[in-house]
Amino acid sequence: MLHGTEVPSTSLPTAGPPRSRVANVLLYLLLFAGAALTLFPFAWMVLTSLKPFAELFNLGFWPQSPTLANYAQVVEKTAYLRWFLNSLLVAGVTTLSVLFFDSLVGYTLSKFEFPGKNLIFLLILATLMIPTEMLIIPWYVGVVHLKLTLSDPGAYLSIMFPGLMSAFGVFLMRQFFDSVPNDLLEAARIDGMGEFAIFRKVALPLVRPALASLAIFTFLGNYNAFLWPLIVIQKPELRTLPVGVALFSGEAGTQWGLIMAASSLAVIPVLIVFAIFQKQIIEGIVLTGLKG
């Protein structure tokens, strides 16, 4: 320090006043109420699946004589396991396809300059405004012209056909790739890396939260799809879970116990996928909020 000179003092920003204990209690009560409202339908479904037929229309929350008879009937007397595997196959393949193609298109639209780039992106976004019901006929015509319904592998492809790419996925990946510094990509090019290697080894690892979120949305959308599989599936053994579970409701009545048991089993893969990608999903939501 020089003699006779004053060093300006730098004051660190002080944190705001701490929340009171009452405010914390109210916050936790609010969160608990929200969690209870969210979990109540799921708990009702599971507990109803454990009720015998005589208790199905009893409004009591807990089953008086819990039984696994509904689960046994679903697994042993229907093709539920085949429907389950069909749904997993369709959802898994479409998710992998969307992750690859949508990230590749999003990277191209974000990091390359070419004529008509913005117009192409706007046209892709415009497809999000078209209702799914209006696309059923073009999809079906495309499937017939591609002759995808002539064999079992072709039948699976016909179910997957509309979900192999996603306009929402292209939008999401393009927005996240915009946040990837161009200097990193230029440094990789100087080191002699090819464009696809840069995309795979440099850019993709930086957008893992977006990939995880897109994987969840795509898997859930195709796993729960009902209208398109109902129209295109022609063989009983190729039914997916939503189409198969719908058979438990018909003109002769609705078998609520079987529906609840089948739905409870159908939730298991969704919970597993969410548990695997939970950290990445939360990180993706946080990063999306920061970017906004």
Side-chain angles (χ1 to χ4, degrees):
M1 179 185 297
L2 296 178
H3 180 70
T5 59
E6 295 183 358
V7 178
S9 60
T10 57
S11 58
L12 296 177
T14 58
R19 287 198 302 263
S20 64
R21 182 173 299 179
V22 175
N24 287 332
V25 171
L26 292 177
L27 178 61
Y28 280 109
L29 287 176
L30 181 62
L31 293 175
F32 178 80
L37 289 175
T38 304
L39 294 176
F40 179 78
F42 177 75
W44 183 275
M45 175 184 68
V46 175
L47 293 175
T48 303
S49 68
L50 298 175
K51 293 181 178 180
F53 180 79
E55 296 183 26
L56 285 178
F57 299 100
N58 182 2
L59 297 181
F61 187 70
W62 299 98
Q64 298 177 2
S65 303
T67 177
L68 296 176
N70 293 322
Y71 290 92
Q73 187 172 351
V74 165
V75 174
E76 296 174 1
K77 297 184 179 181
T78 68
Y80 185 85
L81 295 180
R82 180 64 187 270
W83 304 338
F84 187 81
L85 293 177
N86 290 341
S87 292
L88 287 181
L89 176 63
V90 171
V93 173
T94 51
T95 299
L96 293 176
S97 174
V98 165
L99 290 180
F100 176 74
F101 289 109
D102 285 15
S103 60
L104 194 60
V105 174
Y107 176 77
T108 302
L109 292 174
S110 175
K111 298 304 179 183
F112 291 92
E113 295 295 334
F114 52 89
K117 183 182 78 169
N118 293 331
L119 177 61
I120 293 174
F121 184 60
L122 288 176
L123 291 175
I124 293 175
L125 291 183
T127 61
L128 294 174
M129 296 183 290
I130 303 176
T132 302
E133 292 76 10
M134 294 182 62
L135 299 174
I136 294 295
I137 294 179
W139 287 345
Y140 192 83
V141 172
V143 166
V144 171
H145 279 290
L146 292 175
K147 299 180 180 180
L148 295 180
T149 57
L150 298 181
S151 60
D152 285 356
Y156 282 115
L157 288 176
S158 67
I159 303 173
M160 303 173 189
F161 177 72
L164 294 177
M165 287 191 67
S166 164
F168 169 76
V170 172
F171 167 74
L172 179 68
M173 297 309 301
R174 192 239 189 196
Q175 297 304 107
F176 268 82
F177 277 125
D178 282 345
S179 64
V180 175
N182 292 328
D183 294 340
L184 291 177
L185 308 182
E186 291 298 331
R189 293 189 183 100
I190 294 174
D191 289 339
M193 293 181 65
E195 288 298 334
F196 188 77
I198 295 174
F199 162 74
R200 183 171 60 89
K201 297 182 179 180
V202 179
L204 273 185
L206 297 176
V207 293
R208 284 179 181 174
L211 289 173
S213 299
L214 182 58
I216 284 287
F217 296 144
T218 305
F219 185 88
L220 289 179
N222 289 277
Y223 186 76
N224 296 324
F226 174 75
L227 180 59
W228 174 250
L230 177 66
I231 292 174
V232 77
I233 292 174
Q234 300 178 356
K235 297 182 179 181
E237 63 270 18
L238 297 178
R239 292 186 179 121
T240 56
L241 266 181
V243 178
V245 172
L247 297 177
F248 298 144
S249 178
E251 295 181 359
T254 301
Q255 304 178 63
W256 290 110
L258 301 185
I259 290 178
M260 294 301 176
S263 301
S264 299
L265 292 175
V267 173
I268 295 176
V270 178
L271 296 178
I272 293 175
V273 172
F274 180 79
I276 294 174
F277 295 105
Q278 180 180 9
K279 181 179 178 182
Q280 288 82 0
I281 294 173
I282 296 175
E283 185 178 352
I285 296 174
V286 172
L287 291 178
T288 305
L290 292 176
K291 286 177 60 179

